[in-house]
Amino acid sequence: MPHGLRHTEWALQALAPLGLDLRQMMHICVLIFSHTKGLANDIAAESEQQQDTGLTADEFMSTRAGDMAALNTPEKLPMLSALVRSDDFDLDLDELFEFGLQRLLDGLEGWLAARG
């Protein structure tokens, strides 16, 4: 708890020069924290699964390939099935984090610009 409070204070101090009220600054802090925590939970779950099974996420998914193929057919899930068949997508959590954070920051930048 003390570290979380100090981190929140640090973030509020960083946002202070933007001229926002404390409520708006806190909303931005929670928005970015929520994004970070959401993906951190996924990374932790992957790590726990690897520790429990001895398998990496890719290895674990390979053991479930038959089950996944039965669920993910073009008839049932046409878009998701096409994505998986394309071999063009890797569910990389670091990449997802960076993509999401950049979109959040882009949105905040637009919101701040619109405020003048």
Side-chain angles (χ1 to χ4, degrees), residues 19-26 115:
L20 303 171
D21 64 40
L22 283 171
R23 184 174 164 270
Q24 292 168 326
M25 291 189 299
M26 190 63 184
R115 295 182 72 240

Side-chain angles (χ1 to χ4, degrees):
M1 185 76 169
H3 296 299
L5 293 173
R6 283 193 294 275
H7 181 268
T8 302
E9 178 65 23
W10 171 84
L12 292 169
Q13 294 277 342
L15 293 169
L18 297 176
L20 303 171
D21 64 40
L22 283 171
R23 184 174 164 270
Q24 292 168 326
M25 291 189 299
M26 190 63 184
H27 284 183
I28 291 171
C29 290
V30 170
L31 175 68
I32 293 172
F33 174 77
S34 297
H35 174 68
T36 303
K37 184 178 179 185
L39 281 165
N41 286 338
D42 290 341
I43 291 168
E46 266 192 14
S47 180
E48 287 176 21
Q49 174 238 301
Q50 184 171 353
Q51 186 176 23
D52 292 346
T53 66
L55 302 172
T56 66
D58 288 340
E59 291 168 339
F60 180 79
M61 290 306 291
S62 292
T63 69
R64 307 296 299 181
D67 295 334
M68 292 296 288
L71 293 170
N72 188 17
T73 65
E75 298 77 31
K76 294 177 186 173
L77 305 168
M79 296 181 80
L80 189 55
S81 180
L83 179 66
V84 170
R85 282 192 326 268
S86 74
D87 280 337
D88 195 26
F89 181 74
D90 181 25
L91 195 59
D92 181 284
L93 296 179
D94 291 333
E95 185 179 324
L96 288 171
F97 174 78
E98 290 295 329
F99 178 85
L101 181 61
Q102 191 59 55
R103 300 299 74 78
L104 287 172
L105 295 176
D106 290 347
L108 288 169
E109 181 180 45
W111 176 72
L112 288 167
R115 295 182 72 240

